[in-house]
Amino acid sequence: MRSQRSQQLFKRAESVIPGGVNSPVRAYRAVGGSPPFITRASGARIFDVDGNEFIDYVGSWGPAILGHAHPAVVSAVKRSADNGLSFGAPTEQEIRLAELIIGLYPSIEMLRCVSSGTEATMSAIRVARGFVKRNYVVKFDGGYHGHSDGLLAKAGSGVGTLGIPDSAGVPEGMAQYTLTLPYNDLVALEALFQERGSDIAAVIVEPVAGNIGCVPPAPDFLSTIVAVCKKFGSVSIFDEVMTGCRVSSGGAQAYYGVTPDMTCLGKVVGGGMPLAIYGGRRDIMNCVAPLGPVYQAGTLSGNPIAVAAGIATLEHLDQASYVRLEELGAALETGLNQVLTRNEVSGIVQRVGSMLTVFFGVQRVIDYATACQADRGRFARWHAGLLKRCIYWPPSQLESAFISVAHTSADIDRTLVAAEAALSE
Ligand SMILES: *Cc1c(COP(=O)(O)O)cnc(C)c1O
């Protein structure tokens, strides 16, 4: 693998863009080294400025479920671009996208399009607060819901500690209405609601945690969230920005058979363009302006090109796609477990469908605390070994890798050979 040109570009980028990147994890700080600068991507492959061709398991952090530059998505985007880039006025295609989503997600009766997952979760929470007229929001430690002020809080020690901001620049007052609990902790959840349920506007959860690595929900975790919200008149919000149309066409809520009050979608539903969605029960969505008192808006919301990419992506995902993603995911999981065992390296592979994480040095990851026990140094060395062998894996122990329908069994086999060799780094 050559990297000279990428290294030069990274230096140049660092003087004009913080960390050289427009989103922090791209800077490779968690694994060291410098990131490949990308020129193009096609199917399961991504190419960099040094002429390397990688098998890609980042998939633009989720959107590229059909593989990169799927011909149907690209031609939909081109057709749409020919007709104008943005109107700031309603289009028929927005209805089509909304109807497609509502068809896949029975919990969503009405929805709004926005331009990022951050906006979707921020807006959903505002709407939930406006609907129940309470201030407190519960999130789970390590859950990532975008970078809006109130959601950049994680737990201090102790159950239901008042939110402490995770980021400089977030006044404590902005996070004081955020309560955090350990993921998968039903006892803590029920205790918190017993104590202050009548103050809680909403619970927001990643129904499969994906931003601490891939951590599936414990049995009853999701259904208990929904039930406890119902009992106390709070709104359950599933943040399916990562899992939506990823773990199944109907997201994690269909996969686990649980129905939330509100849902956030992003990543896959935009097919690689800036598009995300929040929606839910009709009575709740009736609060959104101009129908109701909760203001939420966007110049580029429902952008025609993004909507075209989203529709084309959803139209090309069928049941066969998810069967295929499951087969490929299972093959990668089994193979990676065998690689760990054969080399007597302690660790575990956790997977839901086409989301997967290899945690080194731990036997089970159920929440943020156990995820943090994973051996990040070991991961970083393995990651470097993979990169050297042209496998483009997410550059952090606490991220999920993604498989696309464009991956092949031969890709998985090649990846497993590289994964084994990389263990000797
Ligand atoms: C990526 C992600 C977000 C944020 O989406 P952006 O489009 O990056 O703002 C929110 N929630 C979850 C679960 C995500 O994975």
Side-chain angles (χ1 to χ4, degrees):
M1 182 203 156
R2 297 162 298 273
S3 62
Q4 197 187 355
R5 181 108 181 86
S6 279
Q7 286 176 24
Q8 285 166 355
L9 288 176
F10 195 46
K11 282 211 180 67
R12 200 175 127 205
E14 281 179 313
S15 67
V16 286
I17 303 171
V21 292
N22 281 313
S23 198
V25 71
R26 298 178 196 169
Y28 275 41
R29 292 281 167 103
V31 290
S34 74
F37 273 60
I38 303 305
T39 50
R40 67 189 181 92
S42 174
R45 295 291 190 281
I46 190 161
F47 302 83
D48 75 2
V49 290
D50 286 289
N52 299 301
E53 171 181 341
F54 302 91
I55 302 178
D56 179 23
Y57 290 95
V58 178
S60 186
W61 301 95
I65 195 167
L66 291 174
H68 294 281
H70 187 282
V73 179
V74 172
S75 77
V77 165
K78 285 180 174 165
R79 270 198 313 276
S80 179
D82 281 339
N83 289 328
L85 304 185
S86 171
F87 315 126
T91 62
E92 185 169 350
Q93 293 301 87
E94 291 164 88
I95 315 172
R96 169 95 183 108
L97 178 62
E99 288 170 349
L100 271 174
I101 293 290
I102 287 166
L104 293 171
Y105 294 78
S107 69
I108 302 181
E109 294 177 307
M110 277 208 276
L111 62 82
R112 265 278 167 84
C113 286
V114 292
S115 301
S116 69
T118 295
E119 263 185 279
T121 54
M122 181 184 81
S123 307
I125 283 173
R126 184 180 304 146
V127 172
R129 283 176 167 148
F131 178 71
V132 298
K133 301 187 176 67
R134 299 175 189 165
N135 288 333
Y136 285 90
V137 169
V138 178
K139 74 178 280 290
F140 296 93
D141 204 1
Y144 180 65
H145 306 291
H147 63 89
S148 67
D149 283 343
L151 290 170
L152 279 181
K154 68 171 189 180
S157 52
V159 171
T161 314
L162 279 178
I164 308 293
D166 229 4
S167 163
V170 178
E172 268 167 40
M174 304 293 289
Q176 71 176 344
Y177 292 116
T178 308
L179 306 170
T180 57
L181 294 172
Y183 195 78
N184 275 332
D185 191 337
L186 287 173
V187 176
L189 176 72
E190 285 178 324
L192 178 64
F193 266 87
Q194 281 308 330
E195 199 184 316
R196 47 201 314 189
S198 58
D199 295 332
I200 294 171
V203 177
I204 186 165
V205 63
E206 290 183 69
V208 175
N211 289 288
I212 51 175
C214 179
V215 178
D220 298 335
F221 179 56
L222 300 175
S223 58
T224 302
I225 291 173
V226 170
V228 105
C229 282
K230 191 169 178 169
K231 182 171 165 197
F232 286 89
S234 313
V235 176
S236 53
I237 305 173
F238 281 12
D239 178 356
E240 298 226 39
V241 170
M242 186 183 290
T243 54
C245 303
R246 163 63 65 184
V247 300
S248 83
S249 55
Q253 53 196 276
Y255 192 92
Y256 294 106
V258 189
T259 305
D261 299 314
M262 295 187 81
T263 299
C264 300
L265 299 168
K267 298 188 172 131
V268 170
V269 294
M273 295 294 291
L275 186 143
I277 282 168
Y278 73 94
R281 268 168 40 196
R282 185 176 300 276
D283 56 339
I284 299 175
M285 292 302 286
N286 275 336
C287 289
V288 181
L291 288 182
V294 178
Y295 193 71
Q296 181 273 314
T299 302
L300 294 177
S301 292
N303 173 268
I305 300 176
V307 167
I311 292 172
T313 300
L314 296 180
E315 284 177 344
H316 275 78
L317 284 168
D318 54 16
Q319 281 320 306
S321 313
Y322 293 97
V323 171
R324 169 128 194 90
L325 289 168
E326 173 61 31
E327 281 168 7
L328 290 167
L332 185 58
E333 177 189 0
T334 307
L336 286 169
N337 271 320
Q338 286 167 352
V339 163
L340 291 176
T341 310
R342 202 158 47 228
N343 293 275
E344 294 175 9
V345 172
S346 112
I348 185 180
V349 183
Q350 295 198 169
R351 178 182 72 91
V352 177
S354 54
M355 295 168 54
L356 168 151
T357 300
V358 182
F359 291 102
F360 286 97
V362 287
Q363 290 316 310
R364 198 164 78 112
V365 173
I366 55 165
D367 58 13
Y368 187 53
T370 46
C372 287
Q373 287 163 12
D375 185 343
R376 295 179 197 207
R378 189 78 196 77
F379 174 85
R381 293 201 305 281
W382 185 67
H383 179 272
L386 287 178
L387 194 67
K388 208 161 90 181
R389 294 169 178 84
C390 288
I391 307 296
Y392 191 78
W393 198 262
S396 163
Q397 173 68 97
L398 300 184
E399 296 286 355
S400 302
F402 298 107
I403 300 165
S404 78
V405 294
H407 284 79
T408 62
S409 307
D411 290 335
I412 304 291
D413 292 343
R414 236 185 82 188
T415 303
L416 292 172
V417 171
E420 182 143 20
L423 282 179
S424 59
E425 299 289 319

